[in-house]
Amino acid sequence: MNKYTASLQQPFPIQINRHFSLLKVSTLGVSIAVALFSSSLLASANFGSPDTVDNTLAENTRQKKSWRENLAEQHNLTFGLDYQMLGLSASDPVSGGEDKASSGVARFYGSWNLVGLETGNTGGVVWKVEHRHGYSDMTPKELAFQGNFTGAGNGIGYGGMIGPAYSDQGTRLTNLYWKQKLNNGNTSFMVGYLDTTDYVDVYALASPWNGFTNLAFSTGAGAIGLPDDGILGFAVGHMITDNVYTIAGVADGKGKSDEPLEGFDTLFNDHRLFTTLELGWTASKEQIYTDNIHLTFWHLDSGTQHSLVDGGSGQGVNFSASFMATSQIMPFIRGGFSEGDVALYDKSVTAGLGYFGLGNAKNNLGFAFNWSEVNNDFSNVMKSINSVADSSDSQLTSELYYKMALGEFVELTPNLQYIKDPAFSNEDSTWVAGIRARIII
């Protein structure tokens, strides 16, 4: 059994919400500052993704009520609440398959710094709790192929994931950890219930909440065998020089976000681990999200629920390169190579660009292409289920989105994807149109 097929009660962790706020970053300009992080994070670098709890909180620049200001200023406690929705519609599902999917996610998150407030080497608690629920018979997470294994039915027969954070899992713990900065902010660690996508293969547009919707353009480009969110683990990041950094992590490969207490048993008794090591270069600590080149090495042990076919292990290497070509435009190229039984793609290459501040300081546009080769063993299983004659495992995917801030409390993101030769379908191609909304409370 595996996380793609049998473990729909634990959403794919792309989502994802990024919480490895290791080293603070200064702004690259108004548009990028609002989209990624705020100027309150000046002074040290930040290895966490734009979707970490701290960066999500910093993104909300509207004037706060006095009682919230008092909490932040007097007690170093900040928190937020938002509601996310995603609806998808496909032009050419498999024969008899569903062509629509929708769901919502309520999120409550916060950060409470408790020590090191005067030295800058702060330490504190970070949390995020979510409730994920479907509106329709099929959720976005199931639309590609997972509905075959959950009773929701067939979808579009795509060897990938669209909106994997949008499921009907119910209540889950995504984060509950201690984060600590050391060495004037140049070293940081976090320990507790982690979302590994907060520190693994991070780049500026990886968030499924405000960036690309398709997994191919998010963490790992589909070529990392990721565990669930909300699993016990430890991660540390360090700036080796002003430009070179490293991030390493180890986490419970069998942990489940909707059964967090079982993580103590699976981690300390089963010892099935997800381990990562990243080596990277950035133009400066202030540009670590955008002007960045890194390699990520990963391994997931055998015997976890994330195996695709036979319970085996998996490992691989991913690469990412991005830079600000202008003050607003960021081209990128990313991808990965994997072997074993846990990553959805054996090979994946993505190229695209982000345009920050297009039309409004808080708006951004993303466009990208991906070529992928689906894990052959898993592809054979799915082709058999859907009676697909074509033996090719290769697919082409493109995505265009435009995130718009409609005032201080609402974001709206129309999205269009084109998938050529979906691996688990007899259709030549399919369009997938989507609309994502966020209400900031």
Side-chain angles (χ1 to χ4, degrees), residues 198-219:
D198 287 343
Y199 62 87
V200 174
D201 190 36
V202 169
Y203 86 117
L205 301 176
S207 170
W209 309 110
N210 53 39
F212 287 102
T213 304
N214 196 300
L215 171 64
F217 310 116
S218 189
T219 302

Side-chain angles (χ1 to χ4, degrees), residues 237-439:
H238 177 65
M239 293 297 301
I240 300 172
T241 71
D242 288 341
N243 304 104
V244 179
Y245 68 88
T246 184
I247 304 172
V250 58
D252 178 18
K254 294 185 71 174
K256 299 179 180 179
S257 56
D258 56 354
E259 297 178 351
L261 294 180
E262 290 191 6
F264 292 97
D265 178 57
T266 54
L267 176 61
F268 296 109
N269 293 325
D270 294 340
H271 309 298
R272 304 297 180 180
L273 302 177
F274 175 66
T275 52
T276 59
L277 174 65
E278 183 167 302
L279 299 173
W281 175 92
T282 179
S284 70
K285 290 184 289 186
E286 293 78 18
Q287 297 167 292
I288 196 166
Y289 286 153
T290 53
D291 292 73
N292 177 288
I293 301 172
H294 66 253
L295 289 175
T296 304
F297 303 88
W298 64 272
H299 182 273
L300 180 60
D301 289 341
S302 62
T304 75
Q305 67 270 33
H306 307 299
S307 169
L308 291 168
V309 178
D310 61 11
S313 63
Q315 61 189 4
V317 59
N318 280 62
F319 63 88
S320 178
S322 62
F323 68 97
M324 295 302 296
T326 72
S327 61
Q328 294 177 281
I329 298 175
M330 184 193 76
F332 59 88
I333 182 168
R334 293 165 47 78
F337 304 90
S338 73
E339 60 181 19
D341 192 44
V342 292
L344 189 56
Y345 297 153
D346 287 340
K347 303 180 184 69
S348 177
V349 179
T350 287
L353 60 85
Y355 193 131
F356 301 98
L358 178 60
N360 182 293
K362 292 186 177 183
N363 296 358
N364 65 67
L365 177 144
F367 179 67
F369 287 96
N370 171 265
W371 170 85
S372 62
E373 185 176 283
V374 181
N375 179 288
N376 181 253
D377 290 339
F378 183 58
S379 181
N380 289 338
V381 170
M382 289 302 305
K383 288 178 184 294
S384 175
I385 291 174
N386 289 346
S387 301
V388 176
D390 188 355
S391 62
S392 174
D393 297 328
S394 296
Q395 305 173 128
L396 293 173
T397 305
S398 61
E399 179 174 356
L400 172 69
Y401 77 88
Y402 182 55
K403 190 192 80 168
M404 301 173 288
L406 307 179
E408 296 180 336
F409 302 97
V410 177
E411 294 175 355
L412 196 64
T413 307
N415 175 287
L416 184 63
Q417 300 178 51
Y418 177 72
I419 300 168
K420 175 64 175 173
D421 299 322
F424 312 147
S425 173
N426 286 309
E427 301 292 334
D428 290 334
S429 64
T430 184
W431 291 89
V432 181
I435 187 73
R436 183 177 62 205
R438 179 189 182 201
I439 301 172

Side-chain angles (χ1 to χ4, degrees), residues 17-19 51-54 56-57 68 71 75-81 107-114 124-130 172-179 191 193-195 198:
N17 309 20
R18 326 291 186 209
H19 313 275
D51 205 36
T52 60
V53 167
D54 282 343
T56 301
L57 290 166
R68 290 190 65 199
L71 282 176
H75 302 285
N76 301 288
L77 172 63
T78 56
F79 62 90
L81 178 67
R107 309 189 303 168
F108 174 61
Y109 43 86
S111 176
W112 191 6
N113 288 326
L114 297 170
V125 177
V126 174
W127 75 88
K128 182 184 291 181
V129 180
E130 300 176 346
R172 71 198 304 271
L173 177 68
T174 303
N175 292 110
L176 183 59
Y177 62 82
W178 181 272
K179 64 170 184 178
V191 59
Y193 289 98
L194 310 180
D195 176 355
D198 287 343

Side-chain angles (χ1 to χ4, degrees), residues 42-59:
L42 299 170
S44 51
N46 186 335
F47 283 141
S49 78
D51 205 36
T52 60
V53 167
D54 282 343
N55 291 332
T56 301
L57 290 166
E59 179 188 81

